[in-house]
Amino acid sequence: MKEREKFASRIGFILISAGCAIGLGNVWRFPYITGKYGGAAFVLIYLVFLVILGIPIMTMEFAVGRASQRSATKSFEVLEPKGTKWHLYGWGALAGNYLLMMFYTTVGGWTLAYIYKMATGKLTGLDADGVGEVFNQLLSSPAELTLWMVIIVFLGFGVCSLGLQKGVERITKWMMSCLFLIMIVLCIRSVTLEGATEGLKFYLVPDFSKMTQSEGGLFEAIFAAMGQAFFTLSLGIGAMAIFGSYIGKDRALTGETVHICLLDTTVALMAGLIIFPACFAFSVDPGEGPGLVFVTLPNIFNQMKGGRIWGALFFVFMSFAALSTIIAVFENIISCTIDKWGISRKKAVLINGVLILILSLPCVLGFNLLSDFHPLGGTSSIQDLEDFIVSNNLLPLGSLVYLLFCTSRYGWGWKNFRKEANTGEGLKFPAWARIYVSYILPVIILFIFVMGYLQKFFPNLF
């Protein structure tokens, strides 16, 4: 059997895993949901849930990947007790990766489009309505939207085609380094704007009364914090397990998970430091919703001195965040294909590149030619349906599978999991956590799953 590829360095593993977690959820969803639910108090609760939800499950994914030395389509098969059917979830994990890319490539394409539009001055001098019109024109043009989606798919698979070390690791390390540098520059610019102090106070000084004043009240705000902490790490579809299969046994996995979660959280928090001071400096509501980044922020950049440069830089940062996730998930899909059917990397890249291009078209067309199709009722789009299947179904249920597999005596089991997780130097997974991860955490995940359905289909209950 051909020897499995490995990362060249520990920092490569940490940055790539963090790059998978760091995506548009950090820099698009996190700021507007924080603005909606009152700022600093929401951030504090989010951080608590990130620790109690994200760290245990991510450690389990890494452990399954490293112990099996396989991707999600084969890892359960290698580790499961003889005669059990855990391996069937490998297909669910693979489907989750495809579904995620079916709409994520389109949103990633938006970020590339905005670099071009901002840098060439197509947004210069426009107010919020004008920027909104440009965004709507982008969505309503199947040719333009397809073009940007195709570019980002080619970029992602192009990087993966170069191999793990020469492509995925080398380019992601460079890209993540640039991402942090750009964020630091943008943070400094934002917090030094006249009037930025109120934005910093809103974002950094907790006021729990603001959570109770939000539209859905305190309960909805807490559930939103729980959901954001859970979904930001893209757990449950093997997207993290694959990177566990590419590392050695020299480091304990809990410590590595903590480092990755810290990087992921740092990017989310820095995105807030860019956005909230700027919103308050220019008297813009920070709870604008999903349009905050693509409609509201370009209007803010238009009011800044040198705004075209700052705006272009912001969307370069956005595109790096999107592309880091796309490259990581493409690598998982490619590895799953190689493991399952034994084909070469180049053939796996070609087959999956064509598949993703075709599968991404419904999302693109859902904003224009198929805009009258509302699969979830109301004004929902095909993108909403794909996002719902992944975020509200495959991520929580997949995380539950990993959780039960690593704690149940009918699965891989608690002793095997802890032995693998604690092999090497660094922070260990504590024995006292067994009751929590075996009995309490599964209930929390089921609660998130059920609440996601109730909020989607019975919003009047809240």
Side-chain angles (χ1 to χ4, degrees):
M1 187 175 66
K2 187 180 176 183
E3 188 178 343
R4 193 161 187 80
E5 292 181 278
K6 297 289 182 187
F7 286 121
S9 64
R10 180 190 175 205
I11 191 68
F13 161 66
I14 290 174
L15 284 177
I16 292 163
S17 300
C20 183
I22 294 166
L24 295 173
N26 300 70
V27 296
W28 177 30
R29 191 172 186 270
F30 178 76
Y32 84 72
I33 205 170
T34 300
K36 180 180 178 182
Y37 292 111
F42 176 86
V43 173
L44 199 60
I45 293 173
Y46 159 76
L47 292 175
V48 170
F49 282 125
L50 192 72
V51 171
I52 64 175
L53 294 176
I55 289 176
I57 299 169
M58 185 182 285
T59 303
M60 289 174 181
E61 275 208 37
F62 283 144
V64 169
R66 191 169 73 171
S68 66
Q69 292 290 289
R70 293 290 182 275
S71 62
T73 50
K74 281 286 187 178
S75 56
F76 291 101
E77 195 174 311
V78 171
L79 301 177
E80 68 184 359
K82 195 172 181 180
T84 57
K85 303 294 183 182
W86 294 93
H87 63 275
L88 294 176
Y89 180 65
W91 293 107
L94 184 58
N97 283 271
Y98 276 117
L99 274 161
L100 179 61
M101 290 298 101
M102 283 164 64
F103 67 88
Y104 206 96
T105 50
T106 298
V107 183
W110 297 351
T111 66
L112 294 182
Y114 264 67
I115 296 173
Y116 169 73
K117 291 178 187 298
M118 188 64 77
T120 56
K122 294 187 181 298
L123 302 177
T124 303
L126 300 179
D127 59 12
D129 290 338
V131 177
E133 182 60 32
V134 171
F135 186 53
N136 288 333
Q137 285 173 2
L138 171 66
L139 295 186
S140 63
S141 171
E144 186 180 3
L145 211 52
T146 300
L147 172 66
W148 293 113
M149 179 272 288
V150 168
I151 290 172
I152 208 158
V153 169
F154 269 87
L155 285 173
F157 276 113
V159 170
C160 292
S161 70
L162 299 173
L164 180 67
Q165 290 186 15
K166 292 181 180 178
V168 176
E169 183 173 0
R170 180 166 59 92
I171 291 171
T172 303
K173 279 162 71 174
W174 173 85
M175 198 164 58
M176 293 296 289
S177 301
C178 290
L179 184 148
F180 279 105
L181 284 173
I182 292 170
M183 289 197 83
I184 290 167
V185 171
L186 288 169
C187 279
I188 292 169
R189 179 67 190 105
S190 186
V191 300
T192 54
L193 288 168
E194 188 178 343
T197 308
E198 285 302 309
L200 288 170
K201 191 184 296 183
F202 172 83
Y203 188 49
L204 299 176
V205 180
D207 180 356
F208 288 92
S209 67
K210 288 179 180 175
M211 291 185 74
T212 61
Q213 293 164 10
S214 61
E215 186 180 334
L218 181 62
F219 177 78
E220 186 179 308
I222 291 173
F223 176 71
M226 187 186 293
Q228 177 66 19
F230 186 76
F231 298 129
T232 185
L233 299 174
S234 298
L235 300 171
I237 54 173
M240 288 297 172
I242 182 62
F243 301 122
S245 76
Y246 290 149
I247 57 173
K249 306 269 190 178
D250 54 323
R251 303 292 303 185
L253 294 173
T254 308
E256 304 300 83
T257 298
V258 170
H259 286 119
I260 291 159
C261 287
L262 281 173
L263 277 177
D264 176 76
T265 305
T266 298
V267 169
L269 295 177
M270 287 176 75
L273 283 176
I274 294 168
I275 291 169
F276 292 113
C279 283
F280 277 82
F282 293 99
S283 302
V284 170
D285 179 10
E288 283 285 339
L292 179 66
V293 166
F294 291 104
V295 177
T296 308
L297 278 182
N299 180 41
I300 291 174
F301 290 126
N302 282 337
Q303 299 174 61
M304 284 185 192
K305 189 175 181 181
R308 190 194 292 189
I309 296 170
W310 297 115
L313 264 180
F314 178 80
F315 285 105
V316 167
F317 145 62
M318 285 277 292
S319 67
F320 280 177
L323 198 53
S324 66
T325 300
I326 287 169
I327 290 170
V329 177
F330 281 176
E331 175 61 25
N332 192 23
I333 290 172
I334 289 165
S335 184
C336 283
T337 310
I338 293 170
D339 283 354
K340 192 70 179 173
W341 290 285
I343 60 178
S344 68
R345 175 173 283 268
K346 287 191 175 178
K347 187 178 279 189
V349 166
L350 183 62
I351 291 169
N352 286 295
V354 172
L355 270 175
I356 292 292
L357 285 172
I358 294 169
L359 292 171
S360 296
L361 285 175
C363 179
V364 169
L365 300 179
F367 292 105
N368 37 76
L369 299 181
L370 299 176
S371 59
D372 290 333
F373 177 50
H374 305 295
L376 296 174
T379 59
S380 65
S381 64
I382 292 172
Q383 182 194 39
D384 293 324
L385 173 64
E386 292 168 347
D387 186 19
F388 176 74
I389 294 171
V390 175
S391 298
N392 292 70
N393 293 273
L394 291 174
L395 294 185
L397 294 179
S399 293
L400 193 61
V401 170
Y402 275 99
L403 196 59
L404 295 176
F405 186 66
C406 290
T407 57
S408 168
R409 62 192 176 95
Y410 301 106
W412 188 33
W414 172 252
K415 287 184 180 178
N416 288 326
F417 157 66
R418 271 198 81 231
K419 181 182 176 183
E420 181 62 45
N422 292 342
T423 299
E425 298 178 9
L427 185 66
K428 310 296 185 185
F429 201 95
W432 56 258
R434 182 173 188 177
I435 291 175
Y436 170 68
V437 296
S438 299
Y439 303 105
I440 300 172
L441 191 50
V443 172
I444 294 174
I445 293 173
L446 283 173
F447 174 74
I448 291 173
F449 173 70
V450 172
M451 284 297 298
Y453 264 82
L454 291 177
Q455 283 197 324
K456 176 66 74 175
F457 297 108
F458 305 98
N460 293 332
L461 290 175
F462 305 96

